[in-house]
Amino acid sequence: MKKLMISIFTIAAMVSCTSENEIIDNGGKNDEKVEIKLNAGINVITKAAIESGADKLPSAAIPNVQFQRIDAAADAPIDWTNTELTSFTGTIGTDGSITTNSANKQYYDSNDNKAHIVGYFPSGTVTNGVVSMTIDGTNDVIYAQPINKGNRTTPTTEAFAFNHKLTQFKFVVKTDNASITTEINDIDITIKNANTTFSMALKDGELSGWGNPKSDIGPATMTAPAGGTESSSSAGILLEPNLSKLELLVKASTLPTEGVSVEIAGTEASGKFEPSKAYTITLTLQRKTIDGSATVTGWTDGTAGSGTVE
């Protein structure tokens, strides 16, 4: 059978606000700069796919995490279409710390306006409150809702909570050990019409405007061992979320020259492959046909499904 695996994690970035010498209230004077210091911990996490360990910290550092900031007297709501954004980047370490270089350090407004900050990865062009992004199947996209970090005299400790925005697919291949009993080492899998461009709203992380479909995204060439044994899973392929089906073109020496089309329907109750989930798809090769089934594990668990394509 084919299995679909997905893994999910979220990053919670704790932010505390103090001056370097721990002075927050300087008696009403506004000449003391108070730095906004960022620290991160990992909650539920939902690149290659960004993963976390049992301690819910990143398995590898995440550099170039993008942040946008608006200072305002009000607590909310904030107009993220405002062009007066302050952009800066930081790195989330494996210990959960967020570090910035000297050029990216952030300080509270001396007028005691509140600092509102939103975070996401990777970076992209921001226009009218939306980020334009491009993916190629290897990029993870994470986003944290905007938080109000307070001002220099009343900072807050609210945490960022980063979540995966895409859906992850891994692939496993095998033979049926009946019509095909020998190893097949030239299995090429591509996703048909995978959208690669989209926009993400700063205010809530909503994805929209998917386009620029390509049919050259997929795992590296795979090998199905002799005897019907399953291969190891491929690296994760990260795609547009909420697809109702995954359309594949599979080529191999045992299949017709033009390849065989395989369609796997969304396995959740919604009829879709959902965001922040990792699906492992197992393809079983038969002489001139392919059988497929899907299960979900990993980032978060989902509903299993199956399908046969001839």
Side-chain angles (χ1 to χ4, degrees), residues 15-308:
V15 181
S16 61
C17 307
T18 68
S19 66
E20 292 181 354
N21 61 1
E22 301 302 321
I23 297 174
I24 294 178
D25 186 348
N26 64 350
K29 296 180 181 180
N30 292 325
D31 54 354
E32 291 284 342
K33 293 197 298 184
V34 181
E35 183 183 353
I36 304 175
K37 294 185 178 179
L38 304 168
N39 295 301
I42 305 297
N43 275 344
V44 184
I45 296 185
T46 80
K47 1 177 69 151
I50 296 171
E51 303 287 355
S52 63
D55 56 3
K56 297 186 178 181
L57 294 173
S59 301
I62 309 171
N64 301 316
V65 177
Q66 185 72 54
F67 297 92
Q68 302 288 348
R69 170 183 171 182
I70 291 180
D71 292 337
D75 287 325
I78 297 301
D79 180 10
W80 288 96
T81 65
N82 191 318
T83 58
E84 299 299 320
L85 295 174
T86 298
S87 177
F88 65 98
T89 59
T91 296
I92 300 178
T94 55
D95 61 352
S97 64
I98 295 179
T99 57
T100 60
N101 60 29
S102 58
N104 282 288
K105 283 187 177 181
Q106 297 296 299
Y107 297 89
Y108 282 111
D109 187 340
S110 61
N111 292 326
D112 282 343
N113 284 327
K114 297 176 175 65
H116 300 264
I117 303 174
V118 61
Y120 54 92
F121 174 88
S123 61
T125 302
V126 178
T127 306
N128 295 326
V130 298
V131 188
S132 297
M133 291 186 174
T134 299
I135 58 173
D136 60 9
T138 67
N139 323 64
D140 203 350
V141 176
I142 57 175
Y143 167 85
Q145 291 281 349
I147 60 175
N148 176 359
K149 291 309 302 168
N151 59 26
R152 62 201 305 272
T153 58
T154 54
T156 70
T157 57
E158 184 179 357
F160 292 111
F162 287 90
N163 291 277
H164 292 291
K165 300 300 293 183
L166 303 181
T167 301
Q168 182 185 166
F169 295 91
K170 294 183 179 182
F171 295 89
V172 170
V173 293
K174 58 182 291 188
T175 69
D176 65 353
N177 200 31
S179 63
I180 302 174
T181 59
T182 58
E183 175 185 282
I184 304 175
N185 60 11
D186 61 350
I187 302 170
D188 181 69
I189 304 167
T190 55
I191 292 99
K192 294 182 178 181
N193 299 314
N195 284 322
T196 59
T197 59
F198 63 96
S199 296
M200 182 173 69
L202 290 178
K203 67 177 182 179
D204 57 11
E206 181 179 352
L207 308 185
S208 62
W210 285 92
N212 194 24
K214 294 188 177 181
S215 295
D216 58 359
I217 293 175
T221 300
M222 302 188 70
T223 296
T229 302
E230 289 187 353
S231 71
S232 57
S233 61
S234 71
I237 304 298
L238 295 126
L239 300 176
E240 172 185 359
N242 293 314
L243 293 173
S244 60
K245 60 184 177 181
L246 189 67
E247 296 180 278
L248 310 174
L249 178 63
V250 183
K251 294 184 177 181
S253 55
T254 60
L255 299 174
T257 303
E258 68 275 14
V260 173
S261 293
V262 180
E263 183 176 298
I264 306 293
T267 60
E268 304 299 335
S270 63
K272 298 178 180 179
F273 294 112
E274 296 178 349
S276 294
K277 293 186 177 179
Y279 297 83
T280 297
I281 300 177
T282 300
L283 300 173
T284 301
L285 276 71
Q286 304 172 9
R287 186 67 61 180
K288 294 188 178 181
T289 67
I290 299 174
D291 175 75
S293 64
T295 59
V296 184
T297 61
W299 286 355
T300 56
D301 292 336
T303 304
S306 63
T308 301

